[in-house]
Amino acid sequence: MMHNQRLVNWVLFILLSLIWGSSFILMKWSRQGLDGIQIGALRIFFAGLIFFPFAIAHIGKMQRRKIPLVLLSGLLGNLLPAFLFAIAIDNKIDSALAGILNSLTPLLTVILGALFFKTGLQQQKLIGVTIGFAGLLLLTLAKGGISLQNGGYASLILLATLMYAINVHLAARYLKDLNPLRMATVSLAGMAIPAAIVALQQNAFAPLWQSGIGRQSIGAVALLGIMGSAVATVLFYALIKRAGALFASLVTYGIPVVALGWGVLDNEPVSGMQVACLVLILTGVWVANRKKGEKSEVRGPKSEERAAG
């Protein structure tokens, strides 16, 4: 039974890595006819719109005291990061630097857990997270390095990453008893309202009445919202509930593996150094979550009760 549970956790991990790793290609297509703010607003709007009918049915089945926390989770995990990333993209922050900062999520999750959520600082997990991050850093350098041009906007990516880490602990500690589908539908439907307001202010729906690239961009961002936000959020909450905060946050380490796969399909050259870096990243994920370390973990009274294995 335990083996089957861990297998399901890894399946969820791989699915999330595939979805979020593929989101970058959809963002690239979206930018052909939309700017960053429009993409951020439409992404959350379409994600919430697809969930709105379900949210109406689910919100009545939630404890009232949990609803504000669910909406806060949507704010920290989806809405605000979408706009922070959008602003950084509009100011042409180096994508490699953005990827490195986004991949700080697991490390921040460990640190915040130890400082504020009483999860304990387990040496094995910290070593695994550090190994994975080192692999990501080396992979970025192997692909051409990092440009600090417009690097001031890197603080926005860092802030978004911090929000991701806080949201992971929020969901793991205070919302773990909720059904992941109900939680995702209510949180994203709630965020669709402010996203729609921003989209209208930014005239984001105008490409619908255009031909060619404009409509294609709307289609790409709609798919990004439905898959990259709506479906992914359900899977992410399910993974947090099943495997805990840290393992869920390590999905950010799976993203470059998928991105490199897209590069292979697009006939981009792949070096032995890049493959070695990917192996290092996956080794870090394995070390952080191997079953052997569970016995020595220092846990708080309400910290994670399951490990991914």
Side-chain angles (χ1 to χ4, degrees):
M1 177 67 80
M2 184 64 69
H3 176 74
N4 290 337
Q5 290 178 352
R6 289 198 296 270
L7 179 61
V8 172
N9 293 343
W10 279 105
V11 169
L12 289 173
F13 183 97
I14 292 170
L15 284 174
L16 277 167
S17 298
L18 287 170
I19 291 172
W20 279 335
S22 302
S23 293
F24 293 100
I25 196 98
L26 291 174
M27 292 180 70
K28 181 180 179 180
W29 294 342
S30 300
R31 281 192 59 77
Q32 293 179 1
L34 298 166
D35 63 34
I37 297 293
Q38 290 173 327
I39 292 172
L42 288 176
R43 176 177 183 171
I44 302 303
F45 170 72
F46 283 120
L49 184 65
I50 200 73
F51 275 161
F52 210 84
F54 302 98
I56 294 174
H58 290 159
I59 196 168
K61 299 176 182 179
M62 274 186 188
Q63 297 176 345
R64 289 188 177 181
R65 62 186 180 87
K66 295 282 189 179
I67 294 175
L69 289 176
V70 170
L71 294 176
L72 179 61
S73 181
L75 186 70
L76 295 176
N78 286 287
L79 185 67
L80 292 181
F83 287 115
L84 290 172
F85 271 97
I87 294 171
I89 289 171
D90 270 353
N91 287 277
K92 295 181 173 58
I93 184 174
D94 181 56
S95 60
L97 178 59
I100 288 294
L101 293 173
N102 185 51
S103 298
L104 284 172
T105 300
L107 187 59
L108 290 174
T109 299
V110 171
I111 294 172
L112 290 177
L115 292 177
F116 302 108
F117 294 94
K118 301 180 181 179
T119 60
L121 188 60
Q122 187 186 359
Q123 185 179 21
Q124 173 194 315
K125 292 188 180 297
L126 185 59
I127 291 173
V129 169
T130 304
I131 290 173
F133 184 73
L136 271 165
L137 189 59
L138 289 173
L139 179 62
T140 303
L141 295 175
K143 292 174 67 176
I146 302 172
S147 170
L148 295 179
Q149 186 178 4
N150 297 322
Y153 289 95
S155 60
L156 299 181
I157 304 294
L158 187 59
L159 179 58
T161 302
L162 180 62
M163 289 180 179
Y164 285 146
I166 294 172
N167 181 54
V168 166
H169 281 295
L170 173 67
R173 188 175 179 89
Y174 300 109
L175 302 173
K176 199 171 184 178
D177 58 324
L178 296 182
N179 178 285
L181 179 60
R182 292 178 183 175
M183 187 160 52
T185 55
V186 172
S187 66
L188 279 171
M191 295 305 103
I193 298 172
I197 293 173
V198 174
L200 289 170
Q201 289 178 336
Q202 296 294 317
N203 202 26
F205 295 100
L208 281 173
W209 289 270
Q210 301 173 2
S211 60
I213 292 177
R215 289 182 182 176
Q216 291 174 9
S217 296
I218 292 285
V221 79
L223 185 58
L224 179 65
I226 293 169
M227 293 301 300
S229 291
V231 174
T233 298
V234 176
L235 297 177
F236 189 60
Y237 284 149
L239 187 58
I240 291 174
K241 184 173 183 176
R242 292 179 57 88
L246 179 59
F247 186 68
S249 70
L250 285 168
V251 170
T252 57
Y253 285 0
I255 292 174
V257 179
V258 177
L260 194 61
W262 275 109
V264 171
L265 292 176
D266 199 31
N267 297 318
E268 293 181 6
V270 177
S271 67
M273 178 64 176
Q274 289 175 322
V275 174
C277 291
L278 292 181
V279 172
L280 189 60
I281 293 168
L282 296 177
T283 300
V285 175
W286 176 78
V287 169
N289 293 280
R290 58 179 175 167
K291 189 177 179 181
K292 180 180 178 181
E294 292 176 5
K295 295 181 180 179
S296 62
E297 184 170 4
V298 179
R299 296 181 183 271
K302 293 185 179 180
S303 61
E304 303 165 34
E305 297 175 358
R306 302 180 183 90

